Amino acid sequence: MRCQHCKKQAILKSPRLCEDHFVEYFERKIGKFLEKYKIKNKKLLVAISGGKDSVVVSYVLSKLKEKFNLQIEYFFIRLGIPTFTEKSEEIATRVTESINYPLTIYDLKKEEGFTIMDVKYKPCSYCGMIRRYILNKYAFENDFDYVVLGHNLDDEVFFIFNNMFNKNITQLQRTGPLTQTIKEKKLVGRIKPLYFLTEEEILLYAKLKNLPHIGCACPNSLESTQKKFKKDIKFSRDQKLNIVYSILEMKKYLPEEKVELKFCEKCGYPTTSDTCKFCRTKEKILSTL
Ligand code: FES
Ligand code: ZN
Ligand code: ZN
């Protein structure tokens, strides 16, 4: 199998590219993302967890930062999962050191008084909400334009199907490569530069660039629906892209999520009830300690 641009051996079937052309294609795709969504002269908070996606996005953004005049801060949340957190932090530190950037570490226990292991029932299902809250708060308080997330094409396809399986049609409005910052609502926008890249492509790029990353998923998530979905349902790269493009197009016709945002009476951040989910969860956890 030959590369579609030169005579060299292709290392990937779709797109059919050799090593050099693949690296060029991969970085160009992220560059195009930044161009398309006008991520220029911006201050970005990059959430690095040590997983392949966040490591790859951290690395590529550091290469593109001059071209797009980006001001970047790398941010790691120390969740307190035995062994896993230490390993992830070591990787995040190694990666940021190699690209010459300081790493901000947010220690959940020190800052909020609990670790994710103190969530007794299904910690993973609270973890996403807790991380989103912390990232948004830190980004808002420190004037960031966007939080950068490492979500990839496979994650988005799962998100779409999972919501359809559960008939959560309005939730589909939440998919997309970017959300805008709404300062008056204390919401910082989020961008997903790997939105149009598959897990296979990301893993390959990490391998070619020798980027360290934590090979296993969070130990608390062993039986996750997402893992099962990714294992059982196989789509080609083109099919995944078409699913995502179709939903992005269909979003225009989907009902808007009707939520009225107010500010949490405890922390002052946006919520749909009087106290936000983070404050309610935190209070509940602290009462059990
Ligand atoms: Fe954070 Fe599992 S506890 S992803
Ligand atoms: Zn080639
Ligand atoms: Zn709150």
Side-chain angles (χ1 to χ4, degrees), residues 133-177:
Y133 176 89
I134 291 169
L135 283 165
N136 182 65
K137 187 168 178 234
Y138 185 87
F140 181 77
E141 285 170 0
N142 294 283
D143 263 330
F144 283 89
D145 294 304
Y146 291 104
V147 170
V148 179
L149 301 174
H151 291 201
N152 61 45
L153 184 57
D154 294 73
D155 297 329
E156 291 300 314
V157 170
F158 168 73
F159 179 84
I160 291 165
F161 275 86
N162 196 34
N163 279 305
M164 295 207 294
F165 293 151
N166 293 301
K167 282 213 297 192
N168 283 335
I169 303 300
T170 47
Q171 284 283 319
L172 290 174
Q173 282 290 9
R174 294 200 180 177
T175 188

Side-chain angles (χ1 to χ4, degrees), residues 16-245:
R16 216 178 61 249
L17 298 169
C18 68
E19 190 172 322
D20 293 344
H21 279 116
F22 171 74
V23 168
E24 196 187 301
Y25 145 88
F26 191 92
E27 292 172 1
R28 197 182 50 235
K29 230 173 151 179
I30 296 183
K32 282 225 167 111
F33 180 100
L34 300 179
E35 257 162 41
K36 180 166 181 196
Y37 297 105
K38 302 190 173 49
I39 314 296
K40 215 169 183 182
N41 311 320
K42 300 284 183 209
K43 191 175 166 194
L44 306 180
L45 183 68
V46 181
I48 179 164
S49 67
K52 62 176 185 334
D53 303 315
S54 67
V55 164
V56 165
V57 83
S58 298
Y59 177 79
V60 180
L61 284 180
S62 76
K63 289 184 86 175
L64 297 171
K65 72 169 200 309
E66 259 142 48
K67 184 173 174 201
F68 290 90
N69 193 27
L70 303 173
Q71 206 185 320
I72 305 178
E73 183 174 328
Y74 293 92
F75 192 83
F76 176 85
I77 304 177
R78 195 181 276 152
L79 293 164
I81 306 166
T83 320
F84 186 76
T85 294
E86 287 94 69
K87 273 197 201 156
S88 312
E89 186 175 330
E90 195 236 302
I91 287 169
T93 309
R94 256 162 69 200
V95 171
T96 44
E97 270 173 10
S98 74
I99 53 181
N100 251 328
Y101 260 96
L103 177 66
T104 302
I105 294 177
Y106 188 94
D107 190 310
L108 192 60
K109 179 79 184 170
K110 247 190 242 156
E111 304 289 340
E112 308 292 344
F114 65 94
T115 73
I116 203 73
M117 301 311 284
D118 295 324
V119 182
K120 297 288 177 273
Y121 182 68
K122 289 191 176 176
C124 282
S125 54
Y126 290 88
C127 187
M129 175 275 291
I130 291 171
R131 282 182 292 158
R132 273 195 303 277
Y133 176 89
I134 291 169
L135 283 165
N136 182 65
K137 187 168 178 234
Y138 185 87
F140 181 77
E141 285 170 0
N142 294 283
D143 263 330
F144 283 89
D145 294 304
Y146 291 104
V147 170
V148 179
L149 301 174
H151 291 201
N152 61 45
L153 184 57
D154 294 73
D155 297 329
E156 291 300 314
V157 170
F158 168 73
F159 179 84
I160 291 165
F161 275 86
N162 196 34
N163 279 305
M164 295 207 294
F165 293 151
N166 293 301
K167 282 213 297 192
N168 283 335
I169 303 300
T170 47
Q171 284 283 319
L172 290 174
Q173 282 290 9
R174 294 200 180 177
T175 188
L178 162 139
T179 59
Q180 291 298 352
T181 295
I182 313 174
K183 277 223 159 115
E184 56 286 8
K185 289 188 179 165
K186 293 191 182 176
L187 284 173
V188 179
R190 282 178 268 164
I191 55 168
K192 302 172 185 167
L194 303 178
Y195 192 86
F196 300 105
L197 289 156
T198 63
E199 261 183 22
E200 189 188 14
E201 292 170 312
I202 294 161
L203 271 170
L204 185 57
Y205 183 85
K207 193 171 149 211
L208 294 173
K209 290 287 173 186
N210 264 325
L211 294 173
H213 57 91
I214 190 131
C216 48
C218 163
N220 298 329
S221 76
L222 286 178
E223 290 308 320
S224 84
T225 332
Q226 182 164 9
K227 246 183 152 183
K228 200 170 171 324
F229 176 86
K230 286 182 179 173
K231 206 170 100 220
D232 293 348
I233 303 182
K234 300 276 177 229
F235 292 118
S236 69
R237 171 180 164 269
D238 287 350
Q239 285 171 329
K240 289 175 196 167
L241 281 170
N242 286 339
I243 290 167
V244 156
Y245 288 138

Side-chain angles (χ1 to χ4, degrees), residues 126 129-130 277-286:
Y126 290 88
M129 175 275 291
I130 291 171
K277 198 164 175 201
F278 176 84
C279 287
R280 277 183 280 139
T281 308
K282 178 175 165 178
E283 201 174 79
K284 210 165 143 198
I285 299 169
L286 293 181

Side-chain angles (χ1 to χ4, degrees), residues 2-10 16-22:
R2 299 280 152 203
C3 169
Q4 63 199 48
H5 296 308
C6 71
K7 296 263 174 300
K8 282 197 212 145
Q9 180 77 31
R16 216 178 61 249
L17 298 169
C18 68
E19 190 172 322
D20 293 344
H21 279 116
F22 171 74

